[in-house]
Amino acid sequence: MEKRKLGQNGLEVNALGLGCMGMSWGLGPAGDPKEMTAVIHAAVEQGINFFDTAEVYGPYTNEELVGAALEPFKGQVTIATKFGFKFQDGKQVGLDSSPANIRRVAEASLRRLRVEALDLFYQHRVDPTVPIEEVAGAVKELIQEGKVRYFGLSEAGAQTIRRAHAVQPVSALQSEYSLWTRQHEQEIIPTLEELGIGLVAFSPLGKGFLAGKIDETTKFAEGDIRNLLPRYTEEARMANKALLDLLQQFAARRNATQAQIALAWVLAQKPWIVPIPGTTKLHRLTENLEAAAITLTAKEMEEMETASVQIRIIGNRYTEQMERATGL
């Protein structure tokens, strides 16, 4: 698989990663650890060397799963995790990117992930009570101590990225990016390009919708965040089918699936963008990986752009409260 650089400090991973959140949290009941371990092992065997987790996923259980599953592959894989929340009675109750908490999280994540250094350590959400310079400085100290290798941000704005980068070079910004979530094209992506920072695209398949397997009759399990999201109401799912129809047109041409075209579209945007689709199923893992072999032509990209801008996406990606404080 093609390799892609994230930032200017040496971080390089294969073009597709694996988001592990849904194995433990957020998309319904947690998966069976043995089955999820099998998916993670299959991912390594099929060419994925970049895995994404966070302390808030569970909390903690996803890091434990990923750490145990990837322990046999030490030195062969890159694991990204995140800090920035505070917890009470096992539940996330707010933000905390204080330097003291950053250090506490790093030490705990090292234990759960069973590694000597955290490969990529993101601030999960910007904490308005802590200057980003202090956050970057705290991670810089951990890098100097050998406990962290690379610094990342998640869902941060352009000015926050610039301020953090001036203190400690940012290797990657993790943000949602897909054919139906494109707001970062206006300011964020040009800023990343200017500064030489990579983009790790989470939810590149729209939490499953762009794979074409969800329609207005789909019932989400208890605990699935899509039950709460405006973009996944029955009305929104019906209205947003137009985007699926567009993907199907190109999928038919290429003898591919809608998911593969959606991922190929993200991969074609910039050579420093790495999508991290999540899955709990072996056949979906293989399907997603095959997208890395699809190179959309300039003409196809132009056609998709012309058609997609005519489609009005119905429903915000998160509720207002989630936009402010969620760990998703």
Side-chain angles (χ1 to χ4, degrees):
M1 196 189 303
E2 170 202 2
K3 292 185 179 297
R4 296 193 165 195
K5 291 182 179 179
L6 294 175
Q8 303 298 309
N9 292 326
L11 179 56
E12 187 176 73
V13 298
N14 289 349
L16 276 172
L18 180 64
C20 298
M21 180 191 82
M23 295 179 174
S24 306
W25 180 81
L27 297 176
D32 177 83
K34 289 184 178 180
E35 293 178 6
M36 298 305 97
T37 297
V39 172
I40 292 172
H41 286 181
V44 177
E45 291 161 5
Q46 294 183 46
I48 287 178
N49 65 355
F50 184 38
F51 297 83
D52 184 85
T53 183
E55 63 159 358
V56 77
Y57 301 158
Y60 315 128
T61 54
N62 195 245
E63 280 190 327
E64 292 167 350
L65 169 71
V66 171
L70 291 176
E71 189 171 23
F73 305 101
K74 280 186 179 180
Q76 302 173 45
V77 297
T78 295
I79 305 174
T81 193
K82 312 175 192 75
F83 64 86
F85 291 102
K86 58 184 173 184
F87 302 92
Q88 184 175 329
D89 299 326
K91 295 182 179 180
Q92 179 221 325
V93 294
L95 299 170
D96 187 356
S97 278
S98 63
N101 190 52
I102 292 172
R103 183 169 289 275
R104 281 194 297 270
V105 174
E107 298 288 357
S109 292
L110 285 168
R111 290 192 297 272
R112 288 190 289 265
L113 292 172
R114 309 185 187 191
V115 293
E116 289 70 45
L118 303 174
D119 294 314
L120 178 56
F121 202 32
Y122 295 107
Q123 182 190 39
H124 207 153
R125 285 294 184 274
V126 175
D127 185 343
T129 69
V130 182
I132 195 63
E133 289 82 0
E134 291 186 19
V135 173
V139 177
K140 184 173 186 176
E141 288 182 5
L142 291 167
I143 290 173
Q144 291 169 341
E145 294 168 18
K147 294 178 179 179
V148 171
R149 293 194 173 96
Y150 301 100
F151 176 38
L153 299 172
S154 180
E155 296 279 90
Q159 292 309 309
T160 299
I161 295 167
R162 290 183 185 279
R163 288 167 54 197
H165 192 67
V167 175
Q168 169 59 43
V170 177
S171 291
L173 175 78
Q174 178 175 288
S175 283
E176 184 169 358
Y177 186 52
S178 69
L179 195 57
W180 77 347
T181 302
R182 301 181 60 178
Q183 70 270 28
H184 296 313
E185 294 174 348
Q186 298 171 18
E187 186 178 14
I188 300 298
I189 287 178
T191 299
L192 299 181
E193 190 153 38
E194 175 192 338
L195 299 177
I197 298 170
L199 175 63
V200 175
F202 74 80
S203 295
L205 295 177
K207 296 180 176 62
F209 185 80
L210 299 182
K213 307 302 179 184
I214 295 171
D215 62 23
E216 66 274 12
T217 67
T218 301
K219 302 298 181 185
F220 299 119
E222 184 178 351
D224 192 315
I225 57 171
R226 289 170 293 191
N227 286 313
L228 307 175
L229 304 181
R231 196 170 284 183
Y232 299 85
T233 64
E234 290 185 20
E235 295 79 10
R237 281 180 265 165
M238 287 183 67
N240 292 330
K241 277 184 175 180
L243 194 56
L244 295 181
D245 293 340
L246 174 62
L247 286 170
Q248 183 54 40
Q249 291 176 30
F250 286 86
R253 288 191 206 174
R254 286 300 199 99
N255 193 28
T257 66
Q258 290 159 303
Q260 289 167 346
I261 296 300
L263 289 172
W265 181 90
V266 175
L267 287 165
Q269 295 303 310
K270 300 288 182 182
W272 38 266
I273 295 178
V274 176
I276 52 166
T279 188
T280 60
K281 300 179 176 65
L282 288 168
H283 68 283
R284 294 288 178 224
L285 173 71
T286 300
E287 176 185 352
N288 292 346
L289 276 167
E290 289 172 352
I294 299 173
T295 301
L296 296 173
T297 66
K299 182 180 180 183
E300 286 173 319
M301 291 294 288
E302 184 179 349
E303 288 178 14
M304 289 185 74
E305 182 68 16
T306 300
S308 64
V309 296
Q310 304 300 319
I311 298 171
R312 179 169 173 256
I313 303 302
I314 302 300
N316 294 330
R317 63 176 187 147
Y318 294 138
T319 64
E320 287 187 17
Q321 183 180 6
M322 286 179 171
E323 286 280 12
R324 289 194 301 269
T326 189
L328 303 175

